[in-house]
Amino acid sequence: MRVFKSLVLLFLLPVVRGSMVQLKNGGYEDIVIAINPGLPENDNIIRNIKDMVKEASSYLFNATKQRFFFKTVKIIIPLHWLPKPEYLSIKTESYDKADVIVANPFLKYGDDPYTLQYGRCGEKGRYIHFTPDFLLNDNLYNIYGPRAKVFVHEWAHLRWGVFDEYNNDAPFYVSINSGKASVEATRCSASVTGKYIVQSTTKECKYDEQTKLYEAGCKFVPNKIQNAPASIMYMQSLPSVVEFCDQSTHNEKATNMQNKMCNYHSTWEIIMNSPDFSNTSPINSTSPPYETSFSLLQTKDRVVCLVLDVSGSMAQNNRINRLYQSAEIFLLQIVEMGSWVGMTTFQSTAQIKINLQQIVSENVRQNLIKHLPTSADGGTNICEGVRKGFEMIKQKYTNLYGSEIVLLTDGEDTCMSNCLTEVEKSGSIIHTIALGPNAAPELEQFSDVTGGLKFYATDTVDSNGLIDAFSGISSGSGNISEQSIQLESTARSVAVKQWMNGTVTVDSTVGNDTFFVVTWDGITSPLDILLRDPKGKEYRTSDFTVSVLNLRTARLNIAGTAEVGDWYYWIQNNHTDSQVISMIVTSRAASLAVPPVTVKAHMNKDTNNFPNPMVIYAEVSQGFLPVLGATVMATVEPQTGSAMDLKLLDDGSGADITKNDGIYSKYFTSFKGNGRYNLKVRVQGKDKTVRLGRRQSRALYIPGYIENGEIKMNAPRPEVSDDEIQAKLGSFNRVASGGSFVVEKVPSRGTTDVFPPCKIIDLEAQYEENKIHLSWTAPGNDFDVGQAERYIIKMSESLLDLRNIFENATSVNTSSLVPNPAGTKESFQFKPENFTIENGTIIYFAICAIDNASLTSEVSNIAQAALFLPPKESSSSSVPGDKGINVLTIVLIVAGCVAAVLIAVSTAVCILHKKNRR
């Protein structure tokens, strides 16, 4: 119970998520469903979305015992669809913050509905993905069941952080029922009936001699007509299934993610311990009190206003010059073609520098950068700057709906709260950039209430923090082919006459509109630059452009599509003093048909109180498919002190809950003080080591059904070969800003060891002859960093006893077991004592790690080792019998019988022959 209480605390952790869903009196309001801008216009998509959600509302209402339903939904219509009178304007809603995305899959990966979910048990997911074919093709009913049921299955992933109750990687497990061992399908509840069928032949499955489970290709095919009412997280397609598994129906023995991640608690227990459940009461009705209402919102051209601080403090630490360099990159390279962009500045008062201009050519971009500020003076009035930005936008548009403000400031302003309500009601999205240690602490509130992005840049020049912030403000339209992608952003101090060199890989998914930008902070004369493309063509300083308005930046725009491969650069500091030199490379998609590799980085929450740990996430994907095998490094830069580098992993241990899902993770505990922190992630993929994977948390693809005794199989799920997905990816470089987060309550006198080793979540066990072999990934001294001091391993024949009273379970002698550094694969073999191992024996194991400060980790997942000897298969050469009669015995019996008959017949013939002779 202690562990379950600590698990429930995770519900209280705010997750970085753009969702604006509200729960009022049991009704979910402001759910956003966005249609991808790449889809052709089709009114049937809208109609089927409405039908699905309306039906799902009643289904959810009954499944949650009259507690929740879907009240209001917003559907975002792509810009290129023809306008209609019923289409309203978007406000702060956008495609990249939608709760549900409707988009084509990438490659031939079929139409599995799934939820992007990589938090721990009880943490909200990112979004649900439906394909248009899933919404339009009624033939998929046999595979996934009614769309409404699928939507509720995915909503449970998204909203309550529960997991699937099937497992394609471990579809079977050994179970003991009434003292008899058997192989069961991984499912919940265990009362779902069916047969074990080889999909390709429709024959009954046989046992595998190696695994002792069913053979490869074996599928559990359910009976269409069932009595089991649970569970929605297993097989929502069955007509009888109308509930989530609860304590009475939960199958804690099943080897699924729900058991592993939620400490063997049922989905209904997790839902009951959610904030949603505690904040509502059952509704005395047999149906939802309201029918779901829908509003249709159409996107429009991007409208961006830069609101830039030019107060006196911006003259310090070279901030105004860095502002110019960073904003210039945004205007020339980042903001998309077709966008409307304007600019205001503020100090004690504010002024419009240039009204909204639509970017239709390079000339417009060049005209915009002429209005960037170059001097700073006066006080700080942030509200005046924001209001002036609103005023400029309203000169062209009747309202502020869907517009964006990029607000940069380095100063404090005690009057910010005066316009917070005005900002919240405006319908505009405000992205904030806090520059330096004294930027207003209230600044992030503007982003919080409008759904904007949050960035922080220190005065440390060699971090490129300000450039990365501006580079991270791309359109939220979902049109990734138009968005700028950062391939490189690196900077360092270079001594006199020394060189800064490096390699940037341009991969096949990008290459259009490619810029190489070199910046420096010393003298205004250009550096010595040499850039060589993969075919050996060289570009020198004379090929780069240095603006007369910005003498510390050299820019090269590669004509056409940049060559695929490694680009090498050498930059020499020809100044008389050392200076910071940086290289920034941006590009766009090479083709509308092939999505580029992208990186999205963030923390698991944007505010934190010490000593709670945080988690860094980096999602690496191409289209909607995860990219596996990349090297991912995160840099966290505190407000004071030096930056920290951490390697993020996708190995299913520590902070990473699922192996090979393209979500690279790591705990962060190195807090250097109170205040803002900045996150930056660098990703490198090498050809032949990176490949694409498949999303987790999916609606189950049903192999078939048994109806009236007849087996009716569905077509196998479409698959893509490893060779195909590996060959198309190749090598790549990416850099992404993960925005900023704030930490409070860090002790001013430094910290002691308050972080235990992380929970082990990948413990596995198996019999090997007469011994038990355990394997897991080593935790650290502080969560997944460092090295633990020792392990405690317990075993029991009762899974729940091991979970509930770990301390009282039988101990395993671990005196010879010394922990390895975090991330190392551990292996331990021993012969269990005081246990009689015979056919049908199942022993459960769990492990804890203890660090050098005697801090103990949570109890691990529970692994089972089962000794199961499958019954011998019947065949034409054997006859089943209780005594196990062998073939030789049968042959001898038959031969004896035949001989006896022959003797009897011969005797009779002889007697008759003698009688006849007489």
Side-chain angles (χ1 to χ4, degrees):
M1 196 64 192
R2 172 178 55 81
V3 175
F4 186 46
K5 287 180 179 177
S6 65
L7 173 145
V8 171
L9 290 177
L10 291 172
F11 289 111
L12 305 179
L13 302 182
V15 178
V16 178
R17 186 60 195 122
S19 175
M20 297 292 186
V21 174
Q22 301 181 66
L23 178 61
K24 296 180 180 178
N25 299 320
Y28 289 107
E29 300 182 6
D30 299 331
I31 300 167
V32 176
I33 301 177
I35 300 172
N36 188 278
L39 295 182
E41 185 166 359
N42 189 335
D43 289 338
N44 289 332
I45 292 178
I46 299 174
R47 187 190 70 239
N48 287 4
I49 288 173
K50 290 181 177 180
D51 292 343
M52 174 182 71
V53 179
K54 282 181 181 178
E55 186 181 344
S57 184
S58 296
Y59 184 55
L60 178 69
F61 188 71
N62 292 318
T64 57
K65 301 176 174 40
Q66 292 75 46
R67 194 173 290 264
F68 304 120
F69 61 96
F70 300 120
K71 188 174 181 181
T72 64
V73 174
K74 300 172 180 178
I75 302 176
I76 296 181
I77 310 298
L79 175 65
H80 69 86
W81 289 26
L82 292 177
K84 293 183 179 179
E86 62 267 29
Y87 292 174
L88 307 175
S89 296
I90 61 168
K91 293 183 181 179
T92 57
E93 306 86 6
S94 65
Y95 179 91
D96 66 345
K97 293 183 293 185
D99 305 289
V100 181
I101 289 173
V102 179
N104 282 321
F106 181 46
L107 297 178
K108 299 174 291 185
Y109 261 74
D111 298 286
D112 283 337
Y114 70 87
T115 301
L116 183 57
Q117 178 185 15
Y118 47 86
R120 308 190 84 78
C121 184
E123 293 185 21
K124 292 181 175 65
R126 304 294 288 178
Y127 61 78
I128 298 168
H129 177 203
F130 293 129
T131 67
D133 200 39
F134 170 78
L135 292 171
L136 299 173
N137 186 356
D138 292 343
N139 293 330
L140 295 177
Y141 268 56
N142 280 336
I143 292 174
Y144 303 107
R147 297 185 188 108
K149 285 189 169 185
V150 174
F151 184 51
V152 172
H153 174 100
E154 301 305 332
W155 183 260
H157 282 309
L158 181 76
R159 187 70 187 182
W160 301 311
V162 298
F163 293 86
D164 287 323
E165 291 170 336
Y166 68 92
N167 189 345
N168 285 331
D169 294 327
F172 309 109
Y173 67 99
V174 176
S175 178
I176 297 179
N177 297 301
S178 303
K180 184 178 180 181
S182 63
V183 175
E184 297 286 342
T186 301
R187 66 197 191 279
C188 193
S189 69
S191 59
V192 175
T193 61
K195 293 183 177 180
Y196 299 92
I197 304 295
V198 178
Q199 184 158 6
S200 58
T201 64
T202 69
K203 294 181 180 179
E204 291 193 9
C205 299
K206 297 181 179 180
Y207 293 102
D208 184 284
E209 292 185 3
Q210 298 295 322
T211 66
K212 309 303 181 184
L213 302 175
Y214 285 121
E215 61 188 306
C218 181
K219 302 290 184 183
F220 177 73
V221 180
N223 294 308
K224 186 82 171 189
I225 305 303
Q226 299 272 348
N227 293 321
S231 169
I232 293 169
M233 299 312 294
Y234 167 54
M235 198 173 282
Q236 73 287 327
S237 59
L238 293 175
S240 67
V241 169
V242 292
E243 298 175 358
F244 295 99
C245 267
D246 58 18
Q247 284 179 289
S248 64
T249 57
H250 181 58
N251 179 12
E252 71 275 355
K253 297 176 183 178
T255 52
N256 55 38
M257 281 291 285
Q258 172 62 24
N259 278 329
K260 177 181 176 181
M261 297 309 304
C262 296
N263 206 21
Y264 303 88
H265 290 283
S266 69
T267 55
W268 185 243
E269 289 176 89
I270 303 304
I271 294 169
M272 285 196 301
N273 281 282
S274 69
D276 286 359
F277 199 92
S278 61
N279 292 331
T280 58
S281 300
I283 299 168
N284 187 18
S285 173
T286 57
S287 60
Y290 299 94
E291 184 177 274
T292 311
S293 64
F294 298 86
S295 54
L296 306 180
L297 313 177
Q298 189 164 30
T299 55
K300 61 180 183 180
D301 290 331
R302 190 181 189 194
V303 178
V304 184
C305 176
L306 300 185
V307 178
L308 307 175
D309 187 348
V310 292
S311 62
S313 55
M314 286 293 293
Q316 302 172 11
N317 297 301
N318 200 29
R319 290 174 189 164
I320 198 70
N321 291 328
R322 291 172 60 213
L323 165 61
Y324 194 109
Q325 287 178 331
S326 306
E328 183 183 61
I329 288 175
F330 176 78
L331 293 172
L332 295 182
Q333 301 169 217
I334 307 301
V335 69
E336 298 80 4
M337 289 292 289
S339 301
W340 292 83
V341 182
M343 189 188 312
T344 70
T345 58
F346 68 92
Q347 39 176 260
S348 300
T349 58
Q351 62 175 321
I352 295 175
K353 298 290 288 186
I354 183 172
N355 284 310
L356 291 175
Q357 309 287 310
Q358 187 172 27
I359 299 178
V360 294
S361 67
E362 182 64 22
N363 290 336
V364 177
R365 293 184 186 271
Q366 293 293 336
N367 185 46
L368 284 165
I369 65 173
K370 292 177 182 177
H371 298 273
L372 286 169
T374 57
S375 60
D377 189 27
T380 304
N381 192 326
I382 294 172
C383 284
E384 279 298 301
V386 172
R387 287 178 177 133
K388 188 60 71 172
F390 288 168
E391 177 188 322
M392 185 190 67
I393 295 170
K394 286 182 178 179
Q395 290 178 4
K396 177 172 175 58
Y397 295 96
T398 56
N399 57 55
L400 299 170
Y401 295 172
S403 64
E404 298 172 63
I405 297 285
V406 178
L407 173 60
L408 180 145
T409 184
D410 73 337
E412 294 189 31
D413 181 359
T414 57
C415 299
M416 278 190 67
S417 59
N418 293 346
C419 60
L420 183 60
T421 302
E422 180 183 344
V423 164
E424 184 175 9
K425 294 180 178 179
S426 68
S428 181
I429 301 167
I430 298 189
H431 311 298
T432 54
I433 303 175
L435 177 58
N438 299 318
E442 305 86 357
L443 186 63
E444 283 82 3
Q445 293 180 23
F446 281 28
S447 296
D448 292 336
V449 299
T450 64
L453 303 171
K454 292 176 282 193
F455 300 94
Y456 169 60
T458 67
D459 285 324
T460 306
V461 183
D462 58 6
S463 70
N464 269 9
L466 196 54
I467 290 174
D468 295 337
F470 274 102
S471 298
I473 305 176
S474 294
S475 165
S477 67
N479 198 339
I480 190 65
S481 63
E482 295 180 356
Q483 295 177 4
S484 178
I485 295 172
Q486 200 168 16
L487 308 187
E488 181 61 284
S489 172
T490 186
R492 70 171 181 262
S493 180
V494 180
V496 178
K497 299 302 180 183
Q498 295 302 303
W499 293 82
M500 171 180 171
N501 53 56
T503 306
V504 179
T505 302
V506 176
D507 59 279
S508 61
T509 69
V510 296
N512 285 341
D513 201 23
T514 302
F515 286 87
F516 287 81
V517 180
V518 179
T519 70
W520 58 97
D521 71 336
I523 59 172
T524 57
S525 59
L527 307 174
D528 289 334
I529 305 170
L530 172 61
L531 175 67
R532 182 180 296 154
D533 78 5
K535 290 188 175 180
K537 181 179 179 179
E538 293 186 347
Y539 302 87
R540 298 189 176 272
T541 304
S542 57
D543 297 306
F544 284 70
T545 300
V546 178
S547 169
V548 294
L549 299 173
N550 183 8
L551 298 175
R552 292 180 177 86
T553 300
R555 177 176 282 99
L556 174 66
N557 185 7
I558 304 300
T561 303
E563 291 287 345
V564 174
D566 291 337
W567 292 65
Y568 301 93
Y569 63 86
W570 297 265
I571 308 168
Q572 186 181 37
N573 176 17
N574 51 19
H575 189 23
T576 55
D577 293 312
S578 61
Q579 60 181 334
V580 174
I581 300 173
S582 70
M583 170 64 84
I584 300 98
V585 184
T586 63
S587 189
R588 299 187 199 273
S591 168
L592 295 176
V594 180
V597 175
T598 58
V599 178
K600 296 178 181 176
H602 60 88
M603 308 297 292
N604 66 321
K605 45 190 172 180
D606 52 12
T607 57
N608 185 54
N609 289 328
F610 185 87
N612 294 312
M614 300 186 72
V615 180
I616 306 171
Y617 293 118
E619 177 196 348
V620 187
S621 60
Q622 184 184 18
F624 288 99
L625 296 185
V627 174
L628 314 180
T631 300
V632 182
M633 296 298 299
T635 300
V636 179
E637 187 181 14
Q639 194 162 299
T640 56
S642 57
M644 297 150 282
D645 293 328
L646 300 94
K647 185 176 182 180
L648 309 188
L649 300 175
D650 184 19
D651 63 352
S653 69
D656 190 72
I657 67 166
T658 306
K659 184 177 181 179
N660 289 337
D661 65 348
I663 310 298
Y664 299 76
S665 317
K666 191 75 171 178
Y667 281 106
F668 177 68
T669 58
S670 300
F671 303 112
K672 301 297 184 182
N674 294 322
R676 295 183 175 98
Y677 288 69
N678 176 58
L679 171 64
K680 177 178 180 176
V681 167
R682 182 182 302 276
V683 180
Q684 186 176 46
K686 288 296 184 183
D687 194 18
K688 306 304 180 187
T689 63
V690 294
R691 58 190 177 89
L692 298 176
R694 185 192 284 278
R695 291 293 188 201
Q696 306 292 325
S697 297
R698 306 190 302 265
L700 178 60
Y701 189 105
I702 310 300
Y705 297 97
I706 300 173
E707 294 186 70
N708 301 320
E710 182 182 354
I711 299 172
K712 298 180 179 179
M713 301 298 288
N714 291 320
R717 177 195 276 112
E719 299 286 353
V720 179
S721 68
D722 284 345
D723 291 341
E724 181 181 2
I725 59 179
Q726 188 171 6
K728 290 184 177 180
L729 202 55
S731 300
F732 63 89
N733 281 126
R734 294 292 184 271
V735 175
S737 173
S740 64
F741 60 96
V742 176
V743 179
E744 299 295 344
K745 299 184 179 179
V746 179
S748 58
R749 296 182 179 179
T751 61
T752 57
D753 188 352
V754 295
F755 299 111
C758 64
K759 176 181 178 178
I760 295 167
I761 60 174
D762 61 349
L763 178 65
E764 294 182 354
Q766 62 183 39
Y767 281 110
E768 291 185 356
E769 297 178 349
N770 63 339
K771 293 183 178 180
I772 299 294
H773 180 258
L774 301 178
S775 60
W776 67 94
T777 302
N781 182 74
D782 296 338
F783 285 90
D784 55 5
V785 175
Q787 186 171 346
E789 183 80 7
R790 58 190 177 92
Y791 292 120
I792 297 175
I793 300 177
K794 299 279 188 174
M795 60 183 181
S796 173
E797 291 186 276
S798 169
L799 184 152
L800 293 183
D801 282 354
L802 198 59
R803 181 193 73 178
N804 296 333
I805 48 175
F806 175 82
E807 296 83 359
N808 297 342
T810 303
S811 296
V812 175
N813 185 348
T814 58
S815 58
S816 63
L817 180 58
V818 178
N820 283 301
T824 306
K825 289 299 179 183
E826 300 274 38
S827 179
F828 182 61
Q829 198 172 56
F830 68 99
K831 185 175 182 178
E833 300 176 359
N834 304 321
F835 279 89
T836 301
I837 300 177
E838 55 190 8
N839 187 23
T841 298
I842 299 178
I843 305 178
Y844 298 96
F845 298 88
I847 185 170
C848 282
I850 301 175
D851 69 7
N852 54 11
S854 298
L855 299 174
T856 306
S857 71
E858 291 183 55
V859 177
S860 72
N861 67 295
I862 298 174
Q864 72 165 30
L867 179 60
F868 176 63
L869 302 177
K872 293 183 178 180
E873 306 289 349
S874 61
S875 70
S876 57
S877 62
S878 65
V879 175
D882 292 338
K883 303 301 181 182
I885 302 174
N886 60 36
V887 175
L888 179 61
T889 303
I890 295 172
V891 170
L892 291 175
I893 292 172
V894 171
C897 291
V898 170
V901 170
L902 288 175
I903 292 171
V905 170
S906 298
T907 304
V909 169
C910 289
I911 293 172
L912 290 173
H913 183 65
K914 288 180 180 180
K915 286 182 178 180
N916 289 335
R917 288 181 63 185
R918 289 174 183 165

